[in-house]
């Protein structure tokens, strides 16, 4: 029996049909199995004798952030579904950015700071042997400085603890009334004519209506810096960042947790090890050969480090990344997908760890406009683009920072904003520059890219959410991630569970 005859018997026995040509050698595989014989000259199969392997899986997952990594684990381990994760970065975790001091080995998290202990959060960490403990908030002294001129605010009166707590409690009471339509995900969001009027208010009007001004600095300091125009955003979008569970943590009703190692990246490093060959890091989708509910999904991906291409044939696609035009352009979107996803607008943010011998230890230098004096709290948010702070990590010389702008905000612009803010601190006398002068040292600088997806009030009233929900399962593709759920990891995991249930039901018919 020659090779072609043997291959034909193998294909028939597996109920697979592969069209062969005299000049085409093929790759055949069962779910989770790869057998690469060679390449061909057909569409997407390379040229000449270039080799390309084909992977067959039940589900291909685009994005290895909080939602994608969680999905891969649950599908593989809890649903017995074969997966492959396609992640553009060299590691998993998305916005979990941990800088490791090369001398001490100590971790400094400049991205995700902690996880809210809801649902199965602690159990998920435990399955990977990551020991958790309650989070302890920073004890650094807050110094309010207008970063536009580097001058310390001398007449600023921050809200009292009692006023702030009372405002948070009022916010919680109202926010809890919207839980059925906001979490988990958009599944039960009202029809346009039934959207609660409060959710369509600009957040500044919502703050005024419910007397929440004493909580504004905390709103911004906690999650609002991920939105380039927090007070101008619709309340519905703000509540996706500052959700009920977060308020409960701030009020001491619920707990936030962190790894005992103080390295938030630990979880995702262990997930990467567990996934092994099922995680394709440093890899992006470059084209789509097929995407339908009947035939499944066929993607061509390329490793950015090696240039090696791989064909992925999957029964279903789970998309977890930000659905920006740049990210989705290789997916052969149809008109409905393109028009719906194209309605999203975004903010952009960058996080980093820096040091400079003149930055004061045990302090958090926070960017607060002078117009916030003496107690004009709604004005306590800088005009974008801006650097939010220089926050000293306890017992170290490192400082955390976050730069925020609209969706056109680039990495180069973000670095300039950060460096300019430092120069202003020197000009204002808050920081005494060294002699000779030194620049900031960037130990980590990571783009969080486009974040905080939103659409206008007019789009919401035009049925945007219903159109967005209509994409779920369409053309063999399901969606999760921050654009479809609350922006906090463990809340996203809860939403993702609802997506996975539907995806697996669809997969198994």
């Amino acid at each position: 029996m020659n090779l072609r005859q043997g291959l034909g018997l193998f294909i028939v026995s597996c109920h697979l049909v592969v069209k062969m040509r005299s000049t085409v050698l093929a790759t055949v595989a069962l779910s989770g199995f790869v057998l690469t014989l060679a390449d061909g000259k057909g569409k997407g199969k390379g040229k000449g004798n270039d080799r390309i392997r084909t992977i067959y899986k039940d589900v291909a997952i685009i994005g290895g952030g909080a939602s994608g990594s969680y999905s891969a684990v649950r599908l593989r381990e809890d649903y017995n579904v074969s997966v492959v994760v396609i992640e553009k970065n060299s590691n998993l975790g998305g916005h979990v950015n941990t800088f490791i001091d090369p001398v001490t080995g100590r971790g400094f998290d400049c991205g995700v700071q902690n996880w809210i202990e809801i649902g199965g959060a602690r159990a998920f960490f435990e399955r990977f042997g990551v020991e958790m403990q309650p989070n302890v908030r920073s004890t650094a002294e807050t110094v309010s400085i207008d970063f536009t001129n580097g001058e310390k605010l001398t007449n600023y009166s921050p809200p009292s603890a009692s006023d702030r707590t009372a405002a948070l409690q009022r916010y919680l009471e109202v926010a809890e009334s919207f839980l059925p339509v906001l979490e988990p995900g958009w599944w039960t969001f009202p029809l346009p004519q039934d959207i609660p009027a409060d959710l369509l208010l600009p957040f500044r009007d919502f703050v005024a209506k419910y007397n929440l001004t004493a909580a504004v600095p905390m709103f911004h300091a906690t999650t609002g810096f991920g939105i380039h125009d927090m007070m101008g955003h619709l309340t519905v979008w703000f509540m996706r960042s500052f959700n009920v569970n977060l308020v409960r943590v701030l009020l001491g009703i619920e707990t936030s947790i962190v790894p005992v190692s103080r390295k938030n990246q630990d979880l995702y490093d262990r997930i990467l090890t567990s996934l092994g060959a099922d995680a394709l890091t440093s890899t992006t989708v470059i084209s789509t050969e097929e995407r339908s509910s009947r035939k499944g999904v066929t993607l061509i991906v390329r490793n950015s480090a090696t240039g090696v291409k791989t064909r992925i044939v999957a029964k279903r696609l789970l998309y977890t990344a930000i659905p920006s035009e740049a990210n989705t352009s290789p997916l052969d979107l149809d008109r409905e997908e393109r028009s719906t996803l194209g309605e999203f607008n975004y903010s952009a943010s960058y996080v980093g760890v820096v040091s400079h011998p003149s930055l004061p230890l045990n302090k958090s230098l926070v960017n607060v406009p002078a117009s916030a004096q003496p107690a004009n709290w709604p004005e306590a948010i800088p005009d974008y683009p801006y650097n939010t702070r220089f926050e000293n990590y306890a017992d170290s010389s490192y400082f955390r920072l976050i730069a925020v702008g609209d969706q056109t905000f680039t990495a180069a612009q973000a670095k300039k904003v950060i460096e300019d803010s430092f120069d202003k601190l020197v000009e204002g006398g808050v920081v005494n520059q060294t002699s000779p002068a030194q620049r900031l040292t960037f130990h980590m600088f990571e783009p969080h890219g486009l974040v905080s997806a939103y659409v206008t009030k007019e789009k919401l009233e035009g049925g945007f959410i219903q159109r967005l929900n209509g994409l779920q399962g369409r053309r063999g593709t399901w969606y999760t991630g921050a654009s479809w759920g609350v922006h906090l990891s463990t809340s996203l995991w809860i939403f993702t569970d609802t997506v996975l249930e539907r995806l697996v039901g669809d997969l198994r018919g």
Side-chain angles (χ1 to χ4, degrees):
M1 180 182 297
N2 62 29
L3 176 61
R4 181 167 295 183
Q5 290 171 328
L7 178 59
L9 290 176
F10 176 74
I11 295 172
V12 170
S13 68
C14 296
H15 306 287
L16 297 173
V17 177
V18 179
K19 294 183 179 180
M20 306 289 291
R21 295 175 182 164
S22 59
T23 58
V24 177
L25 298 177
T27 299
V28 293
L30 291 175
S31 176
F33 175 76
V34 180
L35 174 62
T36 302
L37 297 178
D39 260 0
K41 298 179 180 178
K43 178 182 178 182
K45 295 185 178 180
K47 296 180 180 180
N49 293 321
D50 292 343
R51 291 184 173 272
I52 182 171
R53 65 171 181 162
T54 297
I55 298 175
Y56 285 74
K57 296 290 182 179
D58 291 323
V59 179
I61 302 171
I62 295 179
S67 300
S69 297
Y70 178 84
S71 297
V73 171
R74 293 240 38 220
L75 287 171
R76 266 200 355 167
E77 298 185 3
D78 302 333
Y79 287 101
N80 196 29
V81 169
S82 64
V83 302
V84 61
V85 178
I86 305 158
E87 167 56 41
K88 67 180 180 179
N89 294 317
S90 60
N91 60 352
L92 302 182
H95 293 174
V96 176
N97 304 116
T98 303
F99 166 68
I100 306 298
D101 187 308
V103 176
T104 66
R106 178 182 168 186
F108 298 90
D109 296 304
C110 60
V112 173
Q113 297 294 290
N114 54 71
W115 282 267
I116 299 174
E117 190 175 4
I118 54 176
R122 186 179 286 267
F124 188 69
F125 282 92
E126 288 175 350
R127 77 160 74 185
F128 290 97
V130 179
E131 186 180 357
M132 304 298 286
Q133 64 184 6
N135 182 44
V136 177
R137 297 180 191 174
S138 171
T139 58
E141 176 190 354
T142 297
V143 182
S144 300
I145 302 168
D146 188 333
F147 280 18
T148 63
N149 56 27
E151 295 181 3
K152 182 178 178 180
L153 275 60
T154 58
N155 192 32
Y156 177 60
S157 301
S160 68
S162 59
D163 286 345
R164 183 179 64 241
T165 297
L168 286 174
Q169 288 172 332
R170 288 192 292 273
Y171 177 87
L172 178 61
E173 182 179 350
V174 179
E176 285 179 330
S177 70
F178 298 126
L179 268 178
V181 302
L182 293 180
E183 297 187 44
W186 299 116
W187 301 118
T188 59
F189 195 77
L191 294 172
Q193 66 272 17
D194 299 322
I195 300 174
D198 278 350
L199 293 180
L200 298 179
L201 288 175
F203 189 58
R204 63 171 55 89
D205 295 343
F206 182 82
V207 165
K209 179 176 180 178
Y210 290 101
N211 187 21
L212 307 177
T213 53
V216 166
M218 177 162 281
F219 288 149
H220 180 254
T222 307
T223 61
F225 50 70
I227 304 173
H228 69 273
D229 180 21
M230 186 185 87
M231 299 301 282
H233 265 52
L234 298 184
T235 299
V236 62
W237 302 117
F238 178 80
M239 285 187 173
R240 307 291 282 183
S241 294
F242 204 91
N243 80 328
V244 164
N245 295 114
L246 178 56
V247 186
R248 289 172 178 167
V249 168
L250 295 174
L251 290 174
I253 301 170
E254 290 179 350
T255 303
S256 64
I257 53 178
V258 295
V260 172
S261 68
R262 301 299 301 187
K263 299 174 184 176
N264 289 335
Q265 186 64 41
D266 280 355
L267 172 67
Y268 295 97
D269 288 346
R270 297 187 186 189
I271 291 175
L272 179 59
T273 298
S274 173
L275 291 175
D278 289 338
L280 303 182
T281 55
S282 302
T283 300
T284 56
V285 178
I286 59 173
S287 66
T288 301
E289 293 182 350
E290 180 67 56
R291 191 161 64 85
S292 70
S293 296
R294 185 172 64 88
K295 295 183 179 181
V297 179
T298 301
L299 307 171
I300 304 297
V301 303
R302 179 172 56 207
N303 183 290
S304 60
T306 65
V308 171
K309 296 179 183 179
T310 302
R311 177 179 292 103
I312 297 174
V313 179
K315 298 173 184 176
R316 292 293 181 267
L317 175 65
L318 179 62
Y319 187 92
T320 74
I322 283 285
S324 64
E325 181 179 0
N327 287 345
T328 59
S329 59
L331 295 182
D332 186 31
L333 300 184
D334 63 21
R335 180 179 298 178
E336 180 65 19
E337 293 168 328
R338 191 177 300 107
S339 64
T340 300
L341 298 178
E343 292 180 17
F344 273 128
N345 298 298
Y346 304 93
S347 297
S349 69
Y350 300 82
V351 301
V353 175
V354 299
S355 66
H356 191 282
S358 296
L359 284 171
L361 302 182
N362 302 316
K363 295 185 186 300
S364 179
L365 310 181
V366 179
N367 188 357
V368 180
S371 57
Q373 299 180 122
N376 190 13
W377 302 319
E379 294 299 316
I381 301 168
D383 292 332
Y384 66 90
Y386 61 92
N387 175 27
T388 64
R389 69 192 69 186
F390 289 97
E391 180 181 5
N392 184 222
Y393 292 98
D395 303 317
S396 82
S397 60
Y398 296 116
F399 289 75
R400 176 182 178 231
L401 49 81
I402 304 167
V404 182
D406 65 17
Q407 62 190 44
T408 67
F409 194 39
T410 67
Q413 290 171 333
K415 266 200 169 182
K416 186 175 187 308
V417 163
I418 292 163
E419 290 170 336
D420 287 349
S421 66
F422 176 79
D423 291 341
K424 291 297 182 182
L425 294 179
V426 173
E427 290 179 19
V430 174
V431 171
N432 295 318
Q433 178 60 281
T434 58
S435 180
Q438 297 183 40
R439 306 302 301 168
L440 285 171
T441 298
F442 283 81
H443 301 277
M444 173 173 274
F445 183 72
E446 292 291 334
H448 279 187
L450 300 180
V451 295
S452 303
Y454 68 96
V455 300
T456 63
K457 177 182 178 181
E458 292 70 27
K459 298 293 186 183
L460 284 176
E461 293 176 329
F464 171 78
I465 298 299
Q466 286 68 38
R467 294 194 299 277
L468 192 67
N469 283 339
L471 298 185
Q472 292 283 19
R474 193 168 183 269
R475 299 183 65 196
T477 304
W478 292 84
Y479 299 88
T480 184
S483 301
W484 275 265
V486 172
H487 300 169
L488 304 173
S489 295
T490 51
S491 293
L492 269 179
W493 292 350
I494 291 173
F495 168 63
T496 297
D497 283 336
T498 70
V499 176
L500 297 183
E501 290 172 4
R502 289 165 168 83
L503 184 157
V504 172
D506 177 34
L507 184 66
R508 294 174 176 168

